[in-house]
């Protein structure tokens, strides 16, 4: 069994890299002949993550893509307090970020390392592990590069040479985005409190896929200009205002994105920073007003 390791890294970690039924209408707009989409957390349609376990299963809801099909997708997972799964494997590798509560994901024999909001982990395909929750309300964003997402018994474990990663929130390294001339994230913000970035996986200065956390300070107003073929943004912490034909307030678990050239106008009108997880294939810029 592979023992999970903790990473104390400042820059990119290279890994292998919804059809949602809504309770209210999605927000869509067209930019350069490409639809952009906004999905509020209140619009998510929940169902068991592992149907075979029924009510004992965590609940899951797609934000983009369809986790049950042969495609990439991103979805939310909710865990009840005290939840602990039996040892199991997945057919595919996934990435996860804690949005609410406290989660543990590791080898069945590992000592618990509870990860709070903003923590990041990866789970390689074929590796036996457990997942547990330790708060009254627990939720994570899970992302896969291909599907379907399946849960299988541990006796079907296999080795695929990927290594698991856990990054506790306290081990993230934040860098002012305006200082990074070599990356595709630039900002012209002149204020004292500037947006910051924490790299998680991939090569952010290439045309390949990558993932990072973006921290927007209170009062920040600007635009994400996405010029690559994919841009996905999930609110991990705080509340963000998304400016469209009708402005929407995005709380943790909400999503906005596009799959071609697009502009996303956003504002942090709260007193707390907003944390976004960004998955991008190709370049994007953050421009302040």
């Amino acid at each position: 069994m592979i023992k999970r390791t903790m990473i104390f890294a400042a820059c990119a970690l290279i890994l292998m890299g919804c059809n949602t039924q809504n309770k209210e209408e999605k927000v869509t707009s067209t930019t350069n002949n490409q639809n952009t989409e906004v999905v509020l957390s209140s619009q998510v349609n929940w169902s068991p993550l592992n149907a075979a376990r029924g009510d004992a299963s965590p609940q899951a809801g797609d934000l983009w893509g369809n986790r049950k099909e042969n495609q990439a997708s991103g979805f939310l997972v909710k865990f009840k307090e005290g939840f602990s799964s039996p040892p199991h494997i997945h057919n595919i590798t996934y990435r996860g970020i804690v949005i609410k509560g406290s989660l543990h994901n590791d080898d069945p024999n590992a000592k618990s390392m509870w990860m709070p909001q903003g923590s990041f982990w990866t789970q390689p395909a074929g590796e036996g592990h457990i997942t547990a929750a330790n708060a009254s309300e627990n939720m994570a964003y899970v992302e896969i590069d291909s599907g379907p997402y399946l849960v299988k018994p541990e006796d079907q474990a296999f080795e695929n040479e990927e290594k698991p990663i856990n990054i506790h929130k306290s081990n993230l390294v934040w860098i002012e985005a305006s200082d990074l001339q070599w990356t595709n994230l630039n900002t012209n913000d002149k204020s004292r409190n500037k947006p910051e970035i924490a790299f998680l996986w991939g090569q952010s200065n290439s045309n390949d896929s990558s993932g990072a956390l973006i921290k927007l300070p209170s009062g920040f107003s600007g635009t994400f200009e996405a010029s690559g073929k994919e841009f996905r943004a999930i609110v991990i912490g705080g509340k963000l205002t998304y400016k469209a034909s009708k402005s929407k307030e995005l709380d943790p678990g909400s999503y906005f994105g596009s799959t071609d050239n697009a502009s996303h106008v956003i504002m942090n009108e709260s007193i707390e920073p907003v944390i976004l997880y960004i998955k991008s294939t190709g370049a994007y810029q953050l421009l302040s007003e």
Side-chain angles (χ1 to χ4, degrees):
M1 193 74 65
I2 300 174
K3 183 174 178 58
R4 187 174 298 269
T5 58
M6 182 178 293
I7 304 298
F8 300 85
C11 283
L13 302 172
I14 302 175
L15 308 171
M16 289 193 67
C18 66
N19 296 328
T20 306
Q21 297 177 6
N22 297 326
K23 300 177 182 178
E24 50 185 295
E25 185 180 358
K26 292 180 183 178
V27 178
T28 60
S29 62
T30 302
T31 305
N32 295 336
N33 298 318
Q34 176 60 51
N35 284 333
T36 62
E37 184 177 46
V38 177
V39 179
L40 307 182
S41 63
S42 60
Q43 295 175 299
V44 173
N45 184 44
W46 298 96
S47 61
L49 180 65
N50 181 7
R53 297 199 69 205
D55 292 342
S57 170
Q59 295 293 299
D62 294 337
L63 291 177
W64 59 272
N66 186 334
R67 70 184 187 278
K68 297 178 182 179
E69 301 294 334
N70 183 21
Q71 59 182 252
S73 65
F75 51 97
L76 301 177
V77 183
K78 294 194 297 189
F79 305 86
K80 294 180 179 179
E81 183 176 9
F83 171 82
S84 184
S85 71
H88 63 283
I89 70 163
H90 298 287
N91 60 311
I92 46 81
T93 294
Y94 75 78
R95 297 179 284 269
I97 300 176
V98 182
I99 296 177
K100 295 180 181 179
S102 184
L103 297 178
H104 165 77
N105 191 89
D106 212 327
D107 183 283
N109 298 316
K111 182 179 179 180
S112 294
M113 185 184 83
W114 297 108
M115 297 187 293
Q117 180 192 64
S119 300
F120 170 78
W121 83 96
T122 68
Q123 181 55 56
E127 185 197 58
H129 65 285
I130 66 166
T131 304
N134 195 37
S136 58
E137 187 176 8
N138 306 276
M139 185 166 68
Y141 170 72
V142 173
E143 185 175 85
I144 59 177
D145 291 330
S146 62
Y149 175 96
L150 301 176
V151 181
K152 297 185 176 184
E154 189 183 30
D155 61 11
Q156 296 184 28
F158 59 90
E159 174 61 59
N160 71 353
E161 298 185 355
E162 294 180 59
K163 305 304 178 186
I165 293 171
N166 279 339
I167 304 179
H168 190 279
K169 176 182 179 179
S170 62
N171 290 326
L172 291 172
V173 177
W174 293 96
I175 305 169
E176 280 194 4
S178 58
D179 291 339
L180 300 176
Q181 301 302 318
W182 53 269
T183 188
N184 55 23
L185 176 66
N186 298 308
T187 175
N188 58 6
D189 185 26
K190 304 300 183 182
S191 66
R192 177 176 299 178
N193 295 321
K194 298 180 179 180
E196 296 177 287
I197 183 170
F199 297 105
L200 297 177
W201 62 275
Q203 295 281 11
S204 63
N205 58 343
S206 74
N207 290 322
D208 297 329
S209 295
S210 64
L213 293 174
I214 305 293
K215 183 187 297 183
L216 303 176
S218 176
F220 179 84
S221 179
T223 303
F224 280 106
E225 295 287 355
S227 57
K229 66 179 183 179
E230 178 185 34
F231 180 85
R232 315 283 186 183
I234 293 83
V235 180
I236 303 300
K239 292 185 178 181
L240 184 74
T241 301
Y242 187 92
K243 302 289 188 178
S245 56
K246 183 178 180 181
S247 295
K248 292 286 185 176
E249 185 177 84
L250 279 58
D251 63 353
S254 299
Y255 154 78
F256 63 93
S258 53
T259 53
D260 205 339
N261 294 351
S263 298
H264 302 276
V265 182
I266 49 89
M267 179 181 294
N268 179 9
E269 299 178 296
S270 65
I271 61 174
E272 300 294 332
V274 168
I275 306 297
L276 297 174
Y277 168 71
I278 306 290
K279 179 191 178 187
S280 175
T281 302
Y284 63 94
Q285 291 184 311
L286 176 59
L287 305 176
S288 65
E289 292 184 352

